[in-house]
Amino acid sequence: MFKVNLAEEAKKLTGTTAQDTVNAAGQAVQQVLDQVAEAGQKVVDDVCKTAQDAGEKATQNITGQVNAWGKSFGQSEEKKNVST
């Protein structure tokens, strides 16, 4: 009688073992995950930059409005003082 090692025979036929196939599949999955992570990080970076820009513009707009109100209030107080 002789023993047949199926894994060994499959390796002879295909040139790879099941472990090699699993490793290759694992590497492919890891590459996809890395690409997804990079793309996700880029989206996060872009969103943060957009939010920061919007915040800075809003701050400038509010500051400008407060200054305008202050000037307007100051002028109306000056007019009151002149009339009295």
Side-chain angles (χ1 to χ4, degrees), residues 3 5 13 31 35 37-39 41 43-44 46 50-53 60 64-65 69-70 73-74 78-79 83:
K3 288 184 176 180
N5 184 336
L13 292 173
Q31 287 175 348
Q35 290 172 349
E38 288 174 20
Q41 186 61 52
V43 169
V44 169
D46 290 349
T50 300
Q52 181 180 5
D53 291 347
Q60 290 171 355
Q65 188 63 48
W69 286 338
F73 180 76
E78 287 174 9
K79 289 180 184 175
S83 332

Side-chain angles (χ1 to χ4, degrees), residues 22-40:
V22 170
N23 291 345
Q27 289 174 351
V29 169
Q30 187 60 50
Q31 287 175 348
V32 169
L33 291 175
D34 290 345
Q35 290 172 349
V36 168
E38 288 174 20

Side-chain angles (χ1 to χ4, degrees), residues 47-65:
V47 167
C48 288
K49 178 69 175 136
T50 300
Q52 181 180 5
D53 291 347
E56 288 173 1
K57 287 178 184 176
T59 301
Q60 290 171 355
N61 289 341
I62 291 171
T63 302
Q65 188 63 48

